[in-house]
Coordinates of all heavy atoms in Angstrom, one line a residue:
Y724 N -31.7 -89.1 -84.8 CA -32.3 -87.9 -84.2 C -33.6 -88.3 -83.5 O -34.6 -88.6 -84.2 CB -32.5 -86.8 -85.3 CG -33.0 -85.5 -84.7 CD1 -32.3 -84.7 -83.9 CD2 -34.3 -85.1 -85.0 CE1 -32.7 -83.5 -83.4 CE2 -34.8 -83.9 -84.5 CZ -34.0 -83.1 -83.7 OH -34.5 -82.0 -83.2
F725 N -33.6 -88.2 -82.2 CA -34.8 -88.7 -81.5 C -35.1 -87.7 -80.4 O -34.7 -87.8 -79.2 CB -34.5 -90.1 -80.8 CG -34.1 -91.1 -81.8 CD1 -32.8 -91.6 -81.9 CD2 -35.0 -91.6 -82.7 CE1 -32.4 -92.6 -82.8 CE2 -34.7 -92.6 -83.7 CZ -33.3 -93.1 -83.7
P726 N -35.9 -86.6 -80.7 CA -36.2 -85.6 -79.7 C -37.3 -86.1 -78.7 O -38.1 -87.0 -79.1 CB -36.7 -84.5 -80.5 CG -37.3 -85.1 -81.8 CD -36.4 -86.3 -82.0
Y727 N -37.3 -85.5 -77.5 CA -38.3 -85.9 -76.5 C -39.0 -84.6 -76.0 O -38.4 -83.6 -75.8 CB -37.7 -86.6 -75.3 CG -37.2 -88.0 -75.6 CD1 -35.9 -88.2 -76.1 CD2 -38.0 -89.1 -75.4 CE1 -35.4 -89.4 -76.4 CE2 -37.5 -90.4 -75.7 CZ -36.2 -90.5 -76.2 OH -35.7 -91.8 -76.5
D728 N -40.3 -84.7 -75.8 CA -41.1 -83.6 -75.2 C -41.3 -83.9 -73.8 O -42.4 -84.3 -73.4 CB -42.4 -83.5 -76.0 CG -43.4 -82.5 -75.3 OD1 -42.9 -81.6 -74.6 OD2 -44.6 -82.7 -75.4
N729 N -40.3 -83.8 -72.9 CA -40.5 -84.1 -71.5 C -39.8 -83.0 -70.6 O -39.6 -83.3 -69.4 CB -39.9 -85.5 -71.2 CG -38.4 -85.6 -71.5 OD1 -37.8 -84.6 -72.0 ND2 -37.9 -86.8 -71.3
Q730 N -39.4 -81.9 -71.2 CA -38.8 -80.9 -70.4 C -39.6 -80.4 -69.2 O -39.1 -80.2 -68.1 CB -38.3 -79.7 -71.3 CG -37.5 -78.7 -70.6 CD -36.2 -79.2 -70.1 OE1 -35.6 -80.1 -70.7 NE2 -35.7 -78.7 -68.9
P731 N -40.9 -80.1 -69.5 CA -41.8 -79.6 -68.3 C -41.8 -80.7 -67.2 O -41.8 -80.3 -66.0 CB -43.1 -79.4 -69.0 CG -42.8 -79.1 -70.4 CD -41.7 -80.0 -70.7
E732 N -41.9 -81.9 -67.6 CA -42.0 -83.0 -66.6 C -40.7 -83.1 -65.8 O -40.7 -83.4 -64.6 CB -42.4 -84.3 -67.2 CG -43.8 -84.5 -67.6 CD -44.2 -83.6 -68.8 OE1 -43.3 -83.2 -69.6 OE2 -45.4 -83.2 -68.9
Q733 N -39.6 -82.9 -66.5 CA -38.3 -82.9 -65.8 C -38.2 -81.8 -64.8 O -37.7 -82.0 -63.7 CB -37.2 -82.8 -66.9 CG -36.9 -84.0 -67.7 CD -35.7 -83.9 -68.6 OE1 -34.7 -83.4 -68.2 NE2 -35.8 -84.4 -69.8
E734 N -38.6 -80.6 -65.2 CA -38.6 -79.5 -64.3 C -39.5 -79.7 -63.1 O -39.1 -79.4 -61.9 CB -39.0 -78.2 -65.0 CG -38.0 -77.8 -66.1 CD -38.5 -76.6 -66.9 OE1 -39.6 -76.2 -66.7 OE2 -37.7 -76.1 -67.8
I735 N -40.7 -80.3 -63.3 CA -41.6 -80.6 -62.2 C -41.0 -81.6 -61.2 O -41.0 -81.5 -60.0 CB -42.9 -81.1 -62.7 CG1 -43.7 -79.9 -63.3 CG2 -43.8 -81.7 -61.6 CD1 -45.0 -80.3 -64.0
C736 N -40.3 -82.6 -61.8 CA -39.7 -83.7 -61.0 C -38.6 -83.1 -60.2 O -38.4 -83.4 -59.0 CB -39.2 -84.8 -61.9 SG -38.7 -86.3 -61.0
L737 N -37.7 -82.3 -60.8 CA -36.6 -81.7 -60.1 C -37.1 -80.7 -59.0 O -36.6 -80.7 -57.9 CB -35.8 -80.9 -61.1 CG -34.9 -81.7 -62.0 CD1 -34.2 -80.8 -63.0 CD2 -33.8 -82.4 -61.2
L738 N -38.2 -80.0 -59.2 CA -38.8 -79.2 -58.2 C -39.3 -80.0 -57.0 O -39.0 -79.7 -55.9 CB -40.0 -78.4 -58.8 CG -40.9 -77.7 -57.8 CD1 -40.1 -76.5 -57.2 CD2 -42.2 -77.1 -58.5
A739 N -40.0 -81.1 -57.3 CA -40.4 -82.0 -56.2 C -39.2 -82.5 -55.4 O -39.2 -82.6 -54.1 CB -41.3 -83.1 -56.7
M740 N -38.2 -82.9 -56.1 CA -37.0 -83.5 -55.4 C -36.3 -82.4 -54.6 O -35.9 -82.7 -53.4 CB -36.0 -84.1 -56.5 CG -36.6 -85.3 -57.1 SD -35.4 -85.9 -58.4 CE -36.2 -87.5 -58.8
R741 N -36.1 -81.2 -55.1 CA -35.4 -80.2 -54.4 C -36.2 -79.8 -53.1 O -35.6 -79.6 -52.1 CB -35.3 -78.9 -55.3 CG -34.1 -79.0 -56.3 CD -33.8 -77.7 -56.9 NE -34.9 -77.1 -57.6 CZ -35.2 -77.2 -58.9 NH1 -34.3 -77.9 -59.6 NH2 -36.2 -76.6 -59.4
R742 N -37.5 -79.7 -53.2 CA -38.3 -79.4 -52.0 C -38.3 -80.5 -51.0 O -38.3 -80.3 -49.8 CB -39.7 -79.0 -52.4 CG -39.8 -77.7 -53.2 CD -41.2 -77.5 -53.7 NE -42.2 -77.2 -52.6 CZ -42.4 -76.0 -52.1 NH1 -41.7 -74.9 -52.6 NH2 -43.3 -75.8 -51.1
E743 N -38.2 -81.7 -51.5 CA -38.2 -82.9 -50.5 C -36.8 -82.9 -49.8 O -36.8 -83.4 -48.7 CB -38.4 -84.2 -51.3 CG -38.5 -85.4 -50.5 CD -39.8 -85.4 -49.6 OE1 -40.8 -84.8 -50.0 OE2 -39.8 -86.1 -48.6
L744 N -35.8 -82.4 -50.4 CA -34.4 -82.4 -49.8 C -34.3 -81.4 -48.7 O -33.3 -81.4 -48.0 CB -33.4 -82.3 -50.9 CG -33.2 -83.5 -51.8 CD1 -32.2 -83.1 -52.9 CD2 -32.7 -84.7 -51.0
T745 N -35.2 -80.4 -48.6 CA -35.1 -79.4 -47.6 C -35.3 -80.0 -46.2 O -35.9 -81.1 -46.1 CB -36.0 -78.3 -47.8 OG1 -37.4 -78.8 -47.8 CG2 -35.8 -77.6 -49.2
A746 N -35.0 -79.3 -45.1 CA -35.1 -79.8 -43.8 C -36.6 -80.1 -43.4 O -36.9 -81.0 -42.7 CB -34.5 -78.8 -42.8
W747 N -37.5 -79.3 -44.0 CA -38.9 -79.5 -43.7 C -39.7 -80.0 -44.9 O -40.8 -79.6 -45.1 CB -39.5 -78.2 -43.2 CG -38.7 -77.6 -42.1 CD1 -37.9 -76.5 -42.1 CD2 -38.7 -78.1 -40.7 NE1 -37.3 -76.3 -40.9 CE2 -37.8 -77.2 -40.0 CE3 -39.3 -79.2 -40.0 CZ2 -37.5 -77.4 -38.7 CZ3 -39.0 -79.4 -38.7 CH2 -38.1 -78.5 -38.0
G748 N -39.0 -80.8 -45.8 CA -39.7 -81.3 -47.0 C -41.0 -82.0 -46.8 O -41.9 -81.8 -47.5
W749 N -41.0 -82.8 -45.7 CA -42.2 -83.6 -45.4 C -43.4 -82.7 -45.1 O -44.6 -83.0 -45.3 CB -42.0 -84.6 -44.3 CG -41.5 -84.0 -43.0 CD1 -40.3 -83.5 -42.7 CD2 -42.4 -83.7 -41.9 NE1 -40.3 -83.0 -41.4 CE2 -41.5 -83.1 -40.9 CE3 -43.7 -83.9 -41.6 CZ2 -42.0 -82.7 -39.7 CZ3 -44.2 -83.5 -40.3 CH2 -43.3 -82.9 -39.4
L750 N -43.1 -81.5 -44.5 CA -44.2 -80.5 -44.2 C -44.6 -79.8 -45.4 O -45.8 -79.3 -45.5 CB -43.7 -79.5 -43.1 CG -43.6 -80.1 -41.7 CD1 -43.0 -79.0 -40.8 CD2 -45.0 -80.5 -41.2
L751 N -43.7 -79.7 -46.4 CA -44.0 -78.9 -47.6 C -44.8 -79.7 -48.7 O -45.2 -79.2 -49.7 CB -42.7 -78.4 -48.2 CG -41.9 -77.4 -47.4 CD1 -40.6 -77.1 -48.1 CD2 -42.7 -76.1 -47.2
R752 N -45.0 -81.0 -48.4 CA -45.6 -81.9 -49.4 C -46.9 -81.4 -49.9 O -47.2 -81.4 -51.1 CB -45.6 -83.3 -48.9 CG -44.3 -84.0 -48.9 CD -44.3 -85.3 -48.2 NE -43.0 -85.9 -48.0 CZ -42.7 -87.0 -47.3 NH1 -43.8 -87.6 -46.7 NH2 -41.5 -87.4 -47.2
P753 N -47.9 -81.0 -49.0 CA -49.2 -80.5 -49.5 C -49.0 -79.3 -50.4 O -49.6 -79.2 -51.5 CB -49.9 -80.2 -48.3 CG -49.3 -81.0 -47.2 CD -47.9 -81.1 -47.5
H754 N -48.1 -78.4 -50.1 CA -47.9 -77.2 -50.9 C -47.2 -77.6 -52.2 O -47.6 -77.0 -53.3 CB -47.1 -76.1 -50.1 CG -46.8 -74.9 -50.9 ND1 -45.7 -74.7 -51.7 CD2 -47.6 -73.8 -51.1 CE1 -45.7 -73.5 -52.3 NE2 -46.9 -72.9 -51.9
T755 N -46.3 -78.5 -52.1 CA -45.6 -79.0 -53.3 C -46.6 -79.6 -54.3 O -46.5 -79.4 -55.5 CB -44.5 -80.0 -53.0 OG1 -43.6 -79.3 -52.0 CG2 -43.7 -80.4 -54.2
H756 N -47.5 -80.4 -53.7 CA -48.5 -81.1 -54.6 C -49.4 -80.1 -55.3 O -49.6 -80.2 -56.5 CB -49.3 -82.0 -53.7 CG -50.4 -82.7 -54.4 ND1 -50.2 -83.7 -55.3 CD2 -51.8 -82.5 -54.5 CE1 -51.4 -84.1 -55.9 NE2 -52.3 -83.3 -55.3
R757 N -49.8 -79.0 -54.6 CA -50.6 -78.0 -55.2 C -49.9 -77.2 -56.3 O -50.4 -76.9 -57.4 CB -51.2 -77.0 -54.1 CG -52.2 -77.6 -53.2 CD -52.9 -76.6 -52.4 NE -52.0 -75.9 -51.5 CZ -51.7 -76.2 -50.3 NH1 -52.2 -77.3 -49.8 NH2 -50.8 -75.6 -49.5
R758 N -48.6 -77.0 -56.0 CA -47.8 -76.2 -57.0 C -47.6 -77.0 -58.2 O -47.7 -76.5 -59.4 CB -46.5 -75.8 -56.3 CG -45.6 -75.0 -57.2 CD -44.4 -74.5 -56.5 NE -43.5 -73.7 -57.3 CZ -42.3 -73.2 -56.9 NH1 -42.0 -73.3 -55.7 NH2 -41.6 -72.5 -57.8
I759 N -47.3 -78.3 -58.1 CA -47.1 -79.2 -59.2 C -48.4 -79.3 -60.0 O -48.4 -79.3 -61.2 CB -46.6 -80.6 -58.7 CG1 -45.2 -80.5 -58.2 CG2 -46.7 -81.6 -59.8 CD1 -44.6 -81.8 -57.6
R760 N -49.5 -79.4 -59.3 CA -50.8 -79.6 -60.0 C -51.0 -78.3 -60.9 O -51.5 -78.4 -62.0 CB -51.9 -79.7 -59.0 CG -53.3 -79.9 -59.6 CD -54.3 -80.3 -58.5 NE -54.3 -79.2 -57.5 CZ -54.9 -79.3 -56.3 NH1 -55.5 -80.4 -56.0 NH2 -54.8 -78.3 -55.5
N761 N -50.7 -77.1 -60.4 CA -50.9 -75.9 -61.1 C -49.9 -75.9 -62.3 O -50.3 -75.4 -63.4 CB -50.6 -74.7 -60.3 CG -51.7 -74.5 -59.2 OD1 -52.9 -74.9 -59.4 ND2 -51.4 -73.9 -58.1
L762 N -48.7 -76.4 -62.2 CA -47.8 -76.4 -63.3 C -48.2 -77.4 -64.4 O -48.1 -77.1 -65.6 CB -46.4 -76.8 -62.8 CG -45.7 -75.8 -61.9 CD1 -44.4 -76.4 -61.4 CD2 -45.4 -74.5 -62.7
R763 N -48.8 -78.5 -64.0 CA -49.3 -79.4 -65.0 C -50.5 -78.8 -65.8 O -50.6 -79.0 -67.0 CB -49.8 -80.7 -64.3 CG -48.7 -81.6 -63.7 CD -49.3 -82.9 -63.3 NE -48.3 -83.8 -62.7 CZ -48.3 -84.1 -61.4 NH1 -49.3 -83.7 -60.6 NH2 -47.4 -84.9 -60.9
R764 N -51.3 -78.0 -65.1 CA -52.4 -77.4 -65.8 C -51.9 -76.3 -66.8 O -52.6 -76.1 -67.8 CB -53.4 -76.7 -64.8 CG -54.2 -77.7 -63.9 CD -54.9 -77.0 -62.9 NE -55.7 -77.9 -62.0 CZ -56.4 -77.5 -61.0 NH1 -56.4 -76.2 -60.6 NH2 -57.1 -78.4 -60.3
Q765 N -50.8 -75.7 -66.5 CA -50.3 -74.6 -67.3 C -49.4 -75.2 -68.5 O -49.0 -74.4 -69.3 CB -49.4 -73.7 -66.5 CG -50.2 -72.9 -65.4 CD -49.3 -72.2 -64.5 OE1 -48.1 -72.1 -64.7 NE2 -49.8 -71.7 -63.4
R766 N -49.2 -76.5 -68.5 CA -48.4 -77.0 -69.5 C -49.0 -76.9 -70.9 O -50.2 -77.2 -71.1 CB -48.1 -78.5 -69.3 CG -47.0 -79.1 -70.2 CD -47.1 -80.7 -70.1 NE -45.8 -81.3 -70.6 CZ -45.5 -81.4 -71.8 NH1 -46.4 -81.0 -72.8 NH2 -44.4 -82.0 -72.2

């Protein structure tokens, strides 16, 4: 039994990947960075 505390980091990583896969992902990077930074603070 080996539990991991990485669910928030997985969700953040998936968020960054999903936004990068959009047609304008490269334009969204600054906003994605700010959103991820806020999510890290709320962890």
Side-chain angles (χ1 to χ4, degrees):
Y724 182 67
F725 304 108
Y727 291 88
D728 171 29
N729 59 2
Q730 187 63 34
E732 284 71 26
Q733 287 187 37
E734 294 175 356
I735 288 175
C736 190
L737 287 171
L738 170 66
M740 290 176 173
R741 283 195 298 266
R742 292 175 69 88
E743 186 68 25
L744 288 174
T745 61
W747 308 106
W749 58 281
L750 287 175
L751 296 175
R752 287 173 187 171
H754 180 266
T755 302
H756 177 73
R757 291 192 297 270
R758 185 172 176 181
I759 288 176
R760 183 174 56 191
N761 291 333
L762 290 174
R763 289 194 185 109
R764 291 174 179 173
Q765 297 171 8
R766 192 192 196 284

